[in-house]
Structures are given as C-alpha cells and as structure tokens.
Amino acid sequence: MYRLNLPQYEIKINQRQGKPYILDTLRRRYVALTPEEWVRQHFVHFLTEQKGYPPSLLANEVELRVGDKRLRCDSVLYNTAAQPVMIVEYKAPTVQLTQRVFDQITVYNMLLHVDYLIVSNGLQHYCCRMDYENHTYTFLHDIPEYKNLYKP
C-alpha cells in the first residue's frame, strides 16, 4: 500500500477470497482494503492516538439523506450530546485535493452544519473551522487536538 504522511500504527489485515481486508476499529469489523480505506484507517488512528479524539465519538461511513438521495460522510466526530461537530472526507493518495473535493464536503455540511471540516488524501491534510456568524471559514495550520477544539 501507499506510504502516507501520517503516523504508523499496528495494522490488522486479513484475506477473504484472495482480497485484503483491514480492521476498522470504529465499525468493529474488517472492510475491503482500498486506497481510500487505507487513508481512513490511518487518519482515524492519528486522530485517536495522536490528537486525543475519543473513538466512541467518531463514526465511519455515516449515511445522510436528502429526499430520495443517500450520501455518505467518510467520518464524523460527534460531541457528547451526539451532535456532529466535524466531518472528515478521505481520498486515495493518488487523488488531488481539488475544489471538487471541497465542494463534496460542503454538500455534507449543508446537512450537518458542523464546526470543522477536514479533507485528506493521506499525504496532504486540510482543516478549516467554520464561522457561521460571519459566513466565513478559516484554514488551520494543523489538525487541532480534541481538547482544543473549542478554545479560541
């Protein structure tokens, strides 16, 4: 698989019918190992092990509905009141993080109205904090630690 700009962790992979599967600790099951899934699992471990995000407040593959249309957020962080506060969108390392990727996460945010948006292809990571009062957003220099999410 790809070498990422994320810390290594103890990866658990098994084979099913000759295809690789990786353990998703949030969903508590093995899922097909795709390049995007490789990024997701590394990034989730980065958030939980390096940035202090509680695994119990994170969810992968969160379904959203708009009429008959179904969308899926790659990862969502919730607060302790079960309200979404962060959306994370992953792409494979070979995918450029273009305006189209940001447009995709913006569509999800129209439904969830979160405080933070992150996009990552495992090599580059962008995080912005939403300011709904002033109708703006600010790109952050780093992914915030969990304990600092609500500090000015």
Side-chain angles (χ1 to χ4, degrees):
M1 241 338 126
Y2 299 93
R3 186 152 180 75
L4 304 177
N5 184 18
L6 291 164
Q8 295 290 320
Y9 75 98
E10 187 178 329
I11 302 163
K12 294 185 180 178
I13 296 176
N14 71 20
Q15 298 280 325
R16 289 189 195 157
Q17 299 174 342
K19 294 184 180 174
Y21 283 72
I22 189 169
L23 180 63
D24 181 331
T25 56
L26 298 183
R27 290 181 272 183
R28 295 186 177 100
R29 63 183 172 93
Y30 283 86
V31 297
L33 178 54
T34 63
E36 183 177 308
E37 194 63 47
W38 182 253
V39 172
R40 180 196 334 259
Q41 295 309 316
H42 278 78
F43 204 89
V44 165
H45 280 83
F46 166 68
L47 289 176
T48 58
E49 295 173 12
Q50 305 290 316
K51 297 293 184 173
Y53 288 59
S56 61
L57 299 180
L58 282 164
N60 285 337
E61 292 288 322
V62 176
E63 185 175 287
L64 304 175
R65 292 184 185 199
V66 180
D68 292 338
K69 190 173 185 178
R70 291 181 179 191
L71 306 170
R72 287 196 188 273
C73 292
D74 288 336
S75 293
V76 175
L77 172 71
Y78 296 90
N79 63 19
T80 55
Q83 299 165 321
V85 294
M86 178 184 286
I87 302 170
V88 187
E89 178 65 24
Y90 308 106
K91 296 297 177 191
T94 56
V95 175
Q96 295 274 348
L97 299 180
T98 63
Q99 185 62 48
R100 188 173 180 190
V101 176
F102 287 92
D103 291 347
Q104 180 182 1
I105 199 170
T106 300
V107 168
Y108 301 155
N109 197 36
M110 286 181 191
L111 298 170
L112 295 182
H113 207 73
V114 299
D115 296 324
Y116 294 91
L117 300 174
I118 296 176
V119 295
S120 175
N121 63 5
L123 303 172
Q124 297 177 294
H125 326 291
Y126 295 97
C127 179
C128 64
R129 183 173 185 168
M130 305 304 294
D131 180 348
Y132 295 103
E133 189 174 306
N134 294 307
H135 306 288
T136 63
Y137 54 88
T138 303
F139 278 94
L140 306 179
H141 296 290
D142 195 12
I143 308 300
E145 290 187 25
Y146 179 76
K147 67 183 179 183
N148 296 330
L149 283 181
Y150 295 102
K151 292 184 179 179

